[in-house]
Amino acid sequence: MTHATGCPVSHTDYTKESEIYGHYATLDAEREAARFHFNDTTERGFWMLTRYEDVLAGFQNHRNWTTAVRTALFPESRIPLLPQDLNGEEHQKFRRIINPFFAPAAVRRMEELAHTRCVELLEELAPKGHCNFVAEFAIRYPTDLFLVLMGLPVEDGDFFLPWTEEMFNCMLQGDLDGAEVPRQKILDYFTVAIEQRRKNPRDPAEDMVTRLVQAELDGELLSHDTILTTCMSIMLAGLDTTRSALGYIFTHLATHEDDRRILVEEPESTRDAVEEFIRLYPLVIQAGREVQESCEFEGIDMAAKDVIWLGIGSANRDPRKYDDPDTFVLGRPGINQHLAFGAGPHRCLGMHLARLELAVVLEEWHKLIPEYRIKDGAELVERGSQLTLKELELEWEV
Ligand code: HEM
C-alpha cells in the first residue's frame, strides 16, 4: 500500500511489546524495505525516516522540525518537559543554565561517588547468587545517582523509586491519567526540596536545585513551575533510559561469553564497549518532531503540523553506515557518530553521565561477579515505545 505521495505505508504499531530484539528486527526490515514510510497507526500518522543520513539530516533540520511533538507515537503528550519543549534561542538559553552540571568535568567529579554507590549495591546483591537485575539493580543505581546529581539524599531512593517506576510504566503505555498520581507525589517531593534551597541555599556551582532557584532568564528568576518541570524532566529523561541500557547490555554479556571475558580480563576496554553497546541497543528508538512550515524533504511534500519519526533505532543499525551493524564490534570505526543520544541542539544532556554510569557498573560488576547467566526458562519481553526489558533474571555461583 502506498500513501498519496507515493511513500509506502507502514502499519507497524511500535507501542506493542514483543519478545526481546523483536523491535530491532522490525526496524531493520522496514529500513531495508524503504527509505521512508508513512505510518498510519496513530491518529495523526507520521513520516518515518529510517536511514542514518536522513535521520541525521532530520536532527539538523531543527529550525523547521521542532520538538512541538516529542514522540511520534504519542504526539499529544500533556506532560510538559524542559528543556525538551523549547526550541531555537529560548532552548539554547535554558540549556546554558543547566549544561554545566552535565559537562564532562562535572561528571568526573561524581566518579568516585558513582563507584562507591555501585559497590555498596553490588555487595548487597553478590552473596544472593541471583537477582531480578532490572528491579533490584538497573533502576536503583541510576535513581541513586540522579538524587546525588540533584543534591538530594541518596536514601530517598527507597520511596522515590516506586513512584518513578509507576509513572514510567503508565506514561510509556500512553496511560496519562494513571501517570498523574505518582507524578504528583514526585512533584510534591521536589517542591519541598526547592523550598528548602530557597531558605538555605548551597553552592550554586555544585547544587543543581540551588542553581535553578537562583538562575535568571532574560533578567527574571525562573518560576517555581519551571524549576519543578526541569527537575521532573531530567528525572524522566535519565532514569528509564539508563536502566534500559543496562538491561540490554547485561543480556548481551550473559549470552556472549567472549565479549564478557574481554570486559573481565581487559577492563580498560570498558569505555569503548559502552559506546558500542549504546549504538547496538538504542532504546530511544525514535525522536519525534513536528513540521512548522510546509516543506519538501528528499521528494516528500510535508505539510505544517505533520509528525516526523527520526528513526534512531534503524539508523544506528544501518549497514550503509556501519559494517555488520547487528554485531557487537569493539573499536568499531565511526562509533562516536552513532545517534543513540540524538544529534543537534537537543542532543542528550545526560550523555556523559549515562556513559559514566554504564562504565562504572561494567567495571565493578565484573570484579565481583565475573560469571553469570540468565535463569533457565526466563522469558525476555521488551516494552514497546521506548524499549526496556521488563525483567531479567540473572544467576551466578556464590
Ligand atoms: C543510555 C542512556 C540515555 C539515552 C540512550 C538517552 C537518549 C536521549 C536522546 C535520544 C535524546 C534526544 C531526544 C530528542 O532529540 O528529541 C535525549 C535527550 C535528553 N536526555 Fe538523554 N539519554 C540517556 C540518558 C540520560 C541521562 C542519564 C540524563 C540525565 C540525568 C538524560 C537527560 C536528557 C535530557 C534532559 C534531554 C533533553 C535535551 C534537550 O531537549 O535539550 N539522558 N536523551
Side-chain angles (χ1 to χ4, degrees):
M1 187 174 164
T2 53
H3 186 256
T5 55
C7 188
V9 172
S10 161
H11 304 306
T12 309
D13 180 354
Y14 280 97
T15 64
K16 290 232 167 84
E17 66 180 38
S18 87
E19 63 182 315
I20 187 168
Y21 309 138
H23 290 89
Y24 295 132
T26 311
L27 287 165
D28 281 351
E30 292 212 305
R31 182 196 56 237
E32 294 314 306
R35 187 172 165 191
F36 309 112
H37 300 262
F38 184 81
N39 186 298
D40 66 357
T41 58
T42 63
E43 211 173 305
R44 288 169 73 174
F46 50 88
W47 299 106
M48 295 179 73
L49 277 52
T50 66
R51 299 190 182 164
Y52 180 91
E53 290 302 333
D54 293 321
V55 176
L56 178 60
F59 276 115
Q60 288 163 345
N61 190 11
H62 52 91
R63 282 185 190 80
N64 193 25
W65 295 1
T66 72
T67 57
V69 164
R70 296 186 309 242
T71 157
L73 296 169
F74 303 108
E76 317 300 339
S77 164
R78 297 194 303 257
I79 295 180
L81 294 182
L82 287 170
Q84 288 92 322
D85 290 340
L86 302 175
N87 285 282
E89 207 189 322
E90 239 190 335
H91 174 255
Q92 272 178 24
K93 282 192 209 161
F94 197 88
R95 283 255 325 212
R96 254 179 248 135
I97 297 175
I98 45 178
N99 276 346
F101 290 90
F102 296 90
V107 169
R108 270 196 299 278
R109 282 202 295 274
M110 286 181 66
E111 194 163 342
E112 201 183 317
L113 206 143
H115 278 276
T116 314
R117 188 64 191 142
C118 186
V119 171
E120 278 168 11
L121 291 175
L122 287 176
E123 280 175 350
E124 268 175 44
L125 215 57
K128 283 177 61 180
H130 65 93
C131 73
N132 179 352
F133 181 78
V134 173
E136 293 180 64
F137 183 80
I139 187 64
R140 178 78 218 222
Y141 180 61
T143 303
D144 288 356
L145 284 204
F146 164 76
L147 291 167
V148 172
L149 171 82
M150 303 299 285
L152 300 167
V154 110
E155 311 78 65
D156 290 359
D158 288 342
F159 53 84
F160 195 81
L161 190 64
W163 299 338
T164 59
E165 270 296 86
E166 196 184 336
M167 182 164 156
F168 284 132
N169 289 337
C170 290
M171 275 178 66
L172 292 159
Q173 283 157 18
D175 176 8
L176 297 182
D177 293 328
E180 210 35 48
V181 177
R183 178 171 173 264
Q184 200 50 55
K185 290 184 187 158
I186 296 169
L187 290 176
D188 291 346
Y189 172 83
F190 285 137
T191 296
V192 173
I194 294 166
E195 292 312 326
Q196 281 172 352
R197 291 301 184 278
R198 281 195 205 284
K199 285 193 203 120
N200 299 306
R202 297 189 183 164
D203 178 359
E206 298 206 343
D207 184 80
M208 196 180 328
V209 180
T210 305
R211 168 86 177 125
L212 289 168
V213 164
Q214 297 180 348
E216 289 187 10
L217 204 56
D218 297 330
E220 288 196 22
L221 289 173
L222 303 182
S223 71
H224 178 74
D225 279 357
T226 299
I227 299 175
L228 258 188
T229 303
T230 308
C231 294
M232 184 64 135
S233 308
I234 295 171
M235 188 205 93
L236 286 175
L239 303 195
D240 190 65
T241 42
T242 313
R243 172 262 291 268
S244 310
L246 283 170
Y248 281 89
I249 294 173
F250 274 77
T251 303
H252 179 104
L253 291 169
T255 51
H256 294 74
E257 167 101 33
D258 291 352
D259 294 336
R260 187 176 76 237
R261 205 167 307 128
I262 295 177
L263 287 180
V264 174
E265 289 166 13
E266 301 163 32
E268 64 285 359
S269 63
T270 304
R271 301 269 159 164
D272 287 345
V274 163
E275 214 56 40
E276 173 64 349
F277 279 131
I278 293 172
R279 178 200 69 81
L280 182 61
Y281 300 114
L283 4 120
V284 181
I285 55 173
Q286 52 99 27
R289 293 294 187 265
E290 186 189 67
V291 176
Q292 299 307 300
E293 284 179 22
S294 61
C295 62
E296 191 254 26
F297 181 77
E298 301 293 333
I300 305 180
D301 289 322
M302 296 178 176
K305 298 271 173 206
D306 275 5
V307 176
I308 305 200
W309 156 295
L310 300 178
I312 295 172
S314 48
N316 267 16
R317 290 168 167 243
D318 183 349
R320 295 157 197 80
K321 174 67 184 171
Y322 293 114
D323 289 340
D324 200 7
D326 295 335
T327 305
F328 174 85
V329 177
L330 206 54
R332 168 189 284 289
I335 182 60
N336 289 325
Q337 292 153 23
H338 70 71
L339 298 177
F341 291 121
H346 287 277
R347 189 159 190 218
C348 179
L349 179 66
M351 64 183 176
H352 301 301
L353 177 62
R355 288 176 173 129
L356 171 76
E357 290 180 7
L358 300 177
V360 168
V361 172
L362 287 180
E363 232 179 285
E364 299 298 351
W365 180 287
H366 290 104
K367 276 189 214 160
L368 266 173
I369 313 174
E371 304 277 333
Y372 48 97
R373 59 191 172 268
I374 297 175
K375 191 177 164 194
D376 266 355
E379 245 187 289
L380 295 177
V381 178
E382 70 189 8
R383 184 187 64 200
S385 305
Q386 191 170 295
L387 307 187
T388 200
L389 293 184
K390 302 188 102 175
E391 296 202 332
L392 175 59
E393 295 284 348
L394 293 180
E395 48 187 30
W396 55 91
E397 307 307 325
V398 286

